[in-house]
Amino acid sequence: MAFSYMPGFGNDFETETLPGSLPQGRNSPQRPAYGLYAEQLSGSPFTAPHGTNERSWLYRIRPSVRHTGRFKGANYPLWKTAPNIGDHELALGQYRWSPVPMPSEPTDFISGMRTMTTAGDAVGQSGMAAHVYVANRSMVDDHFFNADGELMIVPQVGALRFVTEMGVIELRPGEIAVLPRGLVFKVELADKEARGYVCENYGAKFTMPDRGPIGANCLANPRDFKTPCAWFEEKETPCRLIVKWCGTFHVTELGHSPLDVVAWHGNYAPYKYDLATFSPVGAILFDHPDPSIFTVLTAPSGEEGTANVDFVIFPPRWLVAENTFRPPWYHRNIMSEFMGLVHGQYDAKEEGFVPGGISLHNQMLAHGPDASGFEKATRADLKPVKLDNTMAFMFETRFPQMLTRYAAELDTLQDNYIDCWADLKKRFNGTPEGDWS
Ligand SMILES: [Fe+2]
């Protein structure tokens, strides 16, 4: 079955599966067509200003009060929530990991969530968590919603199907999806196993960055974001709903599927985006701009220009700058950088940072190209070069990222990561030429 999508970012969408199931000219008729219940899902306070006011109206077989019952506690010990400080004994440092191993026991998307870092405070609705998911089985009768934040999913291995109450998103590596806070969904695997990264954003929703002097086009373009058309199932068999709420997990038993929205309209909805449609902008003579030039989506904090989270990619692109050190420069940053690699090779680290791997450069900790990358870049013949077959990304947050015990004790933590800079020699010898021997 092919699922269809509506183009645009933050549009006021409307979609119906049965003719006439979406009320016209009003939200809440006395008796909605087909005997459906009308229900509003609010993603912003009622009184949020026009540009950030987000809500959708759902027309469903049962109202959501019938999709919850008495809750019991549930246990997902590897999914952590900020604040989660002092969870381990590992000293401060720049860290890098090889990929999180695939599980051997049956694991679905929710039980396969392994938190690497947390930042900020979920209860204060600021900050984020960076997770890796690993999974080898589909959710069948289990469903989930997260009250703590929206989820950005960056698949690295295996295609997934997000069956949500507002429609179905098929997602493969190279694409991302964003599921708003509170949305009910389950995840099916289209391949045998799956792995990827998740940013759980506790703060204001991801939005498109202002482009400033770049103008009205390039970077991510609104029409390339795809929101699913309505889809529902009428399934009257035992199901469960799992809820994440202020870092705790709860489960309730249902006699039917909660994925029963026949029609909906509004601007609070899930979407996906193909990273290959990102139109990169960069240096065409010398130097290069800050990596913020590659921001796909940004989640603002209350302070202008200071993101709760930025989602930044390092896509295939031409390097043409003259008399320029072309890789990322050495730097220290007030923001904290969690990086992953979907496929290929990242230009500042030719070895050690592999697809599925992770690096963490926390607030004010120095980083930059490894010694061999520096050697190459300072001796290269600066012809135009295409960086191809690469897709690295960064979750960058204004908050320091706290490692979880899981991350600190993971077997794939690379003990020798900081050695990658050990061979950077002193080149200063008091002459303007320096020592390049
Ligand atoms: Fe950096």
Side-chain angles (χ1 to χ4, degrees), residues 291 329 331 333 337 339 346 361 367-368 394 396:
W329 11 251
H331 71 141
N333 189 354
E337 307 175 12
M339 280 191 71
Y346 176 60
H361 300 122
H367 55 286
M394 182 161 68
E396 187 182 36

Side-chain angles (χ1 to χ4, degrees), residues 78-82 84 95 97 114-120 128-132 198-200 202 336-339 358-362 395 397 399-408:
L78 296 181
W79 189 336
K80 299 290 188 193
T81 300
N84 183 49
Y95 287 113
W97 293 260
R114 280 91 171 91
T115 306
M116 300 296 292
T117 70
T118 65
M128 55 156 271
H131 315 284
V132 170
V198 173
C199 177
E200 183 180 8
Y202 308 136
S336 295
E337 307 175 12
F338 176 101
M339 280 191 71
I358 295 152
S359 73
L360 179 67
H361 300 122
N362 239 323
F395 300 144
T397 171
F399 298 102
Q401 296 190 42
M402 304 298 168
L403 282 185
T404 58
R405 174 171 291 275
Y406 174 81

Side-chain angles (χ1 to χ4, degrees), residues 204-223:
K205 291 182 71 222
F206 278 111
T207 188
M208 296 181 63
D210 289 332
R211 291 194 192 84
I214 296 171
N217 302 290
C218 291
L219 310 187
N221 287 301
R223 66 187 289 249

Side-chain angles (χ1 to χ4, degrees), residues 4-338:
S4 42
Y5 301 89
M6 301 172 281
F9 189 88
N11 292 9
D12 204 44
F13 295 105
E14 60 174 43
T15 171
E16 64 181 15
T17 56
L18 301 175
S21 52
L22 185 70
Q24 294 297 321
R26 61 182 63 236
N27 293 325
S28 192
Q30 186 177 22
R31 287 187 183 185
Y34 297 94
L36 299 172
Y37 287 86
E39 179 178 283
Q40 184 174 223
L41 174 61
S42 292
S44 64
F46 299 139
T47 48
H50 172 69
T52 53
N53 200 310
E54 300 199 334
R55 61 86 183 91
S56 287
W57 279 89
L58 315 182
Y59 301 92
R60 59 196 317 157
I61 296 172
R62 293 178 174 91
S64 290
V65 286
R66 291 285 295 115
H67 299 319
T68 56
R70 208 171 284 279
F71 283 107
K72 293 186 300 203
N75 203 14
Y76 293 88
L78 296 181
W79 189 336
K80 299 290 188 193
T81 300
N84 183 49
I85 299 168
D87 197 24
H88 64 88
E89 284 84 48
L90 197 63
L92 181 66
Q94 305 93 325
Y95 287 113
R96 189 166 68 187
W97 293 260
S98 299
V100 169
M102 293 291 189
S104 45
E105 66 283 7
T107 304
D108 68 17
F109 183 82
I110 304 303
S111 63
M113 200 69 74
R114 280 91 171 91
T115 306
M116 300 296 292
T117 70
T118 65
D121 180 357
V123 176
Q125 296 188 347
S126 67
M128 55 156 271
H131 315 284
V132 170
Y133 67 85
V134 285
N136 55 21
R137 70 166 181 183
S138 295
M139 296 166 73
V140 179
D141 298 314
D142 278 0
H143 307 79
F144 176 78
F145 81 78
N146 186 0
D148 292 345
E150 67 182 339
L151 297 175
M152 173 185 283
I153 296 102
V154 185
Q156 189 261 321
V157 171
L160 301 171
R161 203 175 305 111
F162 289 85
V163 186
T164 85
E165 57 183 327
M166 298 177 81
V168 180
I169 291 179
E170 292 183 294
L171 199 68
R172 55 174 174 75
E175 298 178 315
I176 61 162
V178 175
L179 307 178
R181 189 192 295 260
L183 183 81
V184 175
F185 66 93
K186 65 177 181 176
V187 185
E188 297 172 348
L189 271 62
D191 293 310
K192 255 176 122 173
E193 50 184 16
R195 179 172 61 214
Y197 309 88
V198 173
C199 177
E200 183 180 8
N201 170 23
Y202 308 136
K205 291 182 71 222
F206 278 111
T207 188
M208 296 181 63
D210 289 332
R211 291 194 192 84
I214 296 171
N217 302 290
C218 291
L219 310 187
N221 287 301
R223 66 187 289 249
D224 297 318
F225 291 86
K226 311 284 184 190
T227 286
C229 294
W231 178 94
F232 74 97
E233 61 184 4
E234 198 183 352
K235 183 170 139 185
E236 304 288 319
T237 53
C239 289
R240 303 198 310 163
L241 177 69
I242 299 148
V243 176
K244 179 175 188 279
W245 196 92
C246 292
T248 59
F249 290 88
H250 309 269
V251 61
T252 183
E253 314 270 341
L254 313 172
H256 47 262
S257 168
L259 305 175
D260 66 349
V261 177
V262 175
W264 63 265
H265 78 85
N267 61 354
Y268 191 66
Y271 56 88
K272 73 169 184 171
Y273 175 75
D274 182 349
L275 299 176
T277 63
F278 186 86
S279 172
V281 169
I284 51 173
L285 193 59
F286 63 87
D287 283 356
H288 55 75
D290 292 318
S292 49
I293 195 73
F294 296 138
T295 302
V296 181
L297 290 168
T298 182
S301 71
E303 197 172 329
E304 198 182 347
T306 303
N308 186 60
V309 196
D310 280 329
F311 174 65
V312 176
I313 61 171
F314 301 94
R317 61 199 183 276
W318 281 92
L319 303 181
V320 299
E322 299 171 355
N323 186 16
T324 291
F325 182 75
R326 287 180 175 175
W329 11 251
Y330 295 98
H331 71 141
R332 294 174 292 162
N333 189 354
I334 188 170
M335 305 281 279
S336 295
E337 307 175 12
F338 176 101

